[in-house]
Amino acid sequence: MAGFIFWRLARTFLAIWVLASGVFLLSRHDLDTALRLSLPDATSQAGSGAALLPERQQAAQQALRRRFGLDLPVFYVSRGPASPAGVRPWHWHGGRNQYHQWLRGLAHGDWGTSFRTGQGVAGRLRHALAFTLPLTGTAALLAVLSALALAQRLATALWWQRPLRAVLVAVHGLPLFVVALVLLLVFANPDVLDWLPTYGLGSPNELNTSTSQQLTDGFLHLILPVSALVITAVPELTLQLTAALQQELDTAYATTARAKGLSAAAVVRHHALRNALLPTLAQIAEFLPTLVAGAVVVEVVFALPGMGRLLAEASAARDYPVLIGGVLLTGVVRLLALLLADLCYLWADPRIRWQS
């Protein structure tokens, strides 16, 4: 079992390294253009609007390239210009290349500098995650618990199973932004139910309130976004787990348990649930990155200062360092979710532990 976990961890970290390298190399092609478009116009005189001389314009562009490390070669080796004989020799650059400097920065927590604000990407991502993690973590926990409860009830209660399944299928077909807008119009609308804040969340430094009031305000602002994520996530998880439970209830061991006098709920809870969870674990691993993507929608709809809104604004401004950091972070979350699914398989299925 220790060897199984070790190799899973090694494969995960290798995949993260390959992902990071791919994101970096694919982003190099457009970085020069994005740098010129994202930063303020460096080719105009401050306040006069007069264009700089070509020499000064070129010097300003070179200074920007040196500031962001774009003057170095991209990789450890590169091909030089063609010789008169048509041969393009290979050149070794050692550690003075963009890829090496980027990897070294990642190892030290330096994810680059935002083109738009000049702030560190890691700091901006940490500030955004401080809001997104409670949002997505709470939504994931509530969605999984709700799906477990509903699936067990659906597998044993036949008379109201069909209408509830129809409702779940209908909700599953609704886009996330539609659910978020409906919640916003119903529960944060003075003309309907003005129960919750409409949108936005002030910074704690800007609010002249106590800590308890800040926590209450943050909780109220989270209710609708979390509800939107849970409502769209629960149907798929519930329908999958219900189908797996019904399949397990038709097996011989479930029939034997019922013949011994156990109730349907006891058979589900003590015998069928653990086996039915096996296909659902893989679905939950896919569900966690989906929540991160869903955070983009709800944070934009409710104007919340999280990861989704940060990436949306970075995409509009072509702020590639922030986008690269967000994509890399999302990919790492997905890989870690798959690793978590493998470890959950070890817990749920003793046969895997025995084979490993």
Side-chain angles (χ1 to χ4, degrees):
M1 181 174 175
F4 177 87
I5 295 176
F6 171 78
W7 285 114
R8 287 292 189 275
L9 287 171
R11 284 169 44 186
T12 300
F13 284 114
L14 178 62
I16 291 173
W17 172 70
V18 172
L19 173 66
S21 301
V23 168
F24 173 84
L25 295 174
L26 291 174
S27 69
R28 293 298 98 179
H29 177 70
D30 294 328
L31 271 183
D32 283 335
T33 303
L35 180 61
R36 291 194 298 269
L37 293 175
S38 299
L39 291 174
D41 187 10
T43 64
S44 298
Q45 294 285 1
S48 64
L52 291 173
L53 295 175
E55 295 81 3
R56 296 185 62 185
Q57 179 180 351
Q58 185 177 6
Q61 292 176 354
Q62 290 297 327
L64 291 178
R65 288 175 57 82
R66 284 194 300 272
R67 177 184 173 188
F68 291 96
L70 300 180
D71 58 327
L72 299 176
V74 174
F75 202 60
Y76 293 100
V77 294
S78 64
R79 302 194 70 173
S83 64
V87 179
R88 298 183 61 188
W90 290 93
H91 295 287
W92 172 258
H93 304 291
R96 286 190 54 78
N97 64 81
Q98 296 181 38
Y99 179 73
H100 183 83
Q101 299 296 328
W102 186 67
L103 279 184
R104 188 172 66 176
L106 282 182
H108 291 84
D110 180 10
W111 289 37
T113 304
S114 170
F115 288 169
R116 190 164 64 95
T117 65
Q119 298 174 339
V121 172
R124 300 198 68 190
L125 291 178
R126 281 195 300 268
H127 179 75
L129 285 174
F131 186 87
T132 300
L133 286 180
L135 171 66
T136 55
T138 303
L141 180 63
L142 292 178
V144 171
L145 293 179
S146 300
L148 285 172
L150 282 174
Q152 292 181 68
R153 296 290 296 171
L154 280 173
T156 56
L158 299 179
W159 67 271
W160 54 278
Q161 184 185 78
R162 185 168 296 178
L164 182 56
R165 286 175 62 92
V167 171
L168 292 174
V169 171
V171 173
H172 181 55
L174 294 176
L176 176 58
F177 76 91
V178 171
V179 176
L181 289 176
V182 169
L183 292 176
L184 190 64
L185 292 174
V186 173
F187 295 103
N189 188 351
D191 296 329
V192 186
L193 298 174
D194 191 14
W195 291 353
L196 297 169
T198 306
Y199 62 89
L201 182 63
S203 171
N205 297 326
E206 299 173 357
L207 299 176
N208 189 19
T209 57
S210 64
T211 303
S212 60
Q213 290 175 320
Q214 293 175 14
L215 292 175
T216 302
D217 184 68
F219 173 75
L220 292 176
H221 278 87
L222 279 176
I223 290 177
L224 290 182
V226 168
S227 300
L229 290 174
V230 170
I231 289 173
T232 54
V234 163
E236 184 177 1
L237 292 175
T238 302
L239 294 173
Q240 165 67 31
L241 184 55
T242 301
L245 280 173
Q246 290 176 337
Q247 184 176 2
E248 292 297 326
L249 290 175
D250 291 335
T251 58
Y253 74 85
T255 303
T256 303
R258 286 193 296 267
K260 292 181 178 180
L262 291 179
S263 63
V267 173
V268 168
R269 188 165 53 252
H270 298 295
H271 296 278
L273 181 60
R274 190 163 185 171
N275 291 331
L277 280 176
L278 291 176
T280 307
L281 290 175
Q283 189 181 18
I284 293 176
E286 296 286 338
F287 160 68
L288 294 177
T290 302
L291 273 183
V292 177
V296 177
V297 177
V298 297
E299 288 173 4
V300 171
V301 171
F302 295 100
L304 300 174
M307 187 81 175
R309 187 178 174 187
L310 175 65
L311 294 182
E313 293 175 351
S315 177
R318 295 192 181 186
D319 195 351
Y320 275 95
V322 175
L323 283 176
I324 292 170
V327 170
L328 178 59
L329 190 60
T330 304
V332 169
V333 169
R334 178 178 175 82
L335 292 173
L336 293 179
L338 294 176
L339 174 63
L340 179 62
D342 287 338
L343 297 179
C344 289
Y345 271 117
L346 283 177
W347 166 79
D349 194 343
R351 294 170 298 180
I352 299 179
R353 291 199 297 270
W354 180 78
Q355 292 173 359
S356 60

